[in-house]
Amino acid sequence: MKLSNKAARFGWWFSACFLLMCAMFTYILIRDGLSHVQTDSPSAFDHALPWLMPTVLAVFWAAGLGAAWYLMGIPCIEARVDASGCVHILRRYPLRTESQIIHAADLAGAALVETKDSEGDLYYSIRLTTADGMQMDVAQSPDRAICEAALSRFNAALRASAAG
């Protein structure tokens, strides 16, 4: 039995695309220089202030790098129960992978956690808690029935693995 939560991949790809766009705009600014940056406002200036575009790009770079740093710390998690009585936890980050083996008897089981997303809609997670108190969401879905079915199969596999 295997459960996996790959929701973090969206954040990784989003931050990579955002930083790529920042790099492209930086290249354009360096290639064309500041003399080609024009404003549409009917002001006394025909061109934007020379520090405006580099400052805007610096703000976008800072926000993009900060978001990428945060999002790279969120792993994709896979929990697999095998017949030998062990639960293999695999955490995949963009630049590294961590593996942990826990005996099924040391786990109380997985639990269904109900949360709300940013729009206020209900969202369900299957949360696994290890003996040392670490919690990880090994599956997520906006559909409660899908999470309940996966939870019952995972807990049944845990019980069978711990007993056998």
Side-chain angles (χ1 to χ4, degrees):
M1 173 67 191
K2 177 175 77 168
L3 290 177
S4 59
N5 182 0
K6 297 178 180 157
R9 289 189 301 180
F10 174 77
W12 301 345
W13 284 107
F14 180 81
S15 63
C17 291
F18 187 86
L19 291 176
L20 180 62
M21 292 199 27
C22 285
M24 290 184 341
F25 280 110
T26 302
Y27 167 74
I28 291 170
L29 184 67
I30 292 170
R31 181 193 68 188
D32 294 346
L34 296 174
S35 63
H36 291 81
V37 178
Q38 296 181 354
T39 61
D40 292 333
S41 64
S43 66
F45 298 108
D46 287 339
H47 297 281
L49 299 173
W51 52 266
L52 181 63
M53 288 309 293
T55 303
V56 169
L57 276 174
V59 169
F60 276 96
W61 271 108
L65 290 171
W69 183 264
Y70 171 75
L71 292 170
M72 285 178 63
I74 301 173
C76 288
I77 299 174
E78 181 178 295
R80 183 173 43 89
V81 181
D82 64 10
S84 67
C86 293
V87 178
H88 298 267
I89 306 292
L90 188 63
R91 288 183 219 61
R92 289 191 177 112
Y93 298 89
L95 302 175
R96 71 182 193 279
T97 300
E98 296 174 355
S99 180
Q100 182 180 11
I101 298 175
I102 303 168
H103 293 291
D106 295 338
L107 295 172
L112 184 67
V113 178
E114 183 178 292
T115 58
K116 290 188 178 184
D117 64 8
S118 61
E119 296 176 352
D121 296 328
L122 292 176
Y123 202 76
Y124 304 96
S125 300
I126 297 174
R127 185 162 295 159
L128 188 64
T129 305
T130 62
D132 59 358
M134 185 174 65
Q135 295 182 339
M136 62 195 90
D137 292 339
V138 293
Q140 296 178 339
S141 175
D143 189 356
R144 183 180 183 102
I146 290 172
C147 278
E148 284 177 342
L151 175 66
S152 64
R153 284 185 284 125
F154 189 78
N155 281 338
L158 269 178
R159 286 190 296 274
S161 180

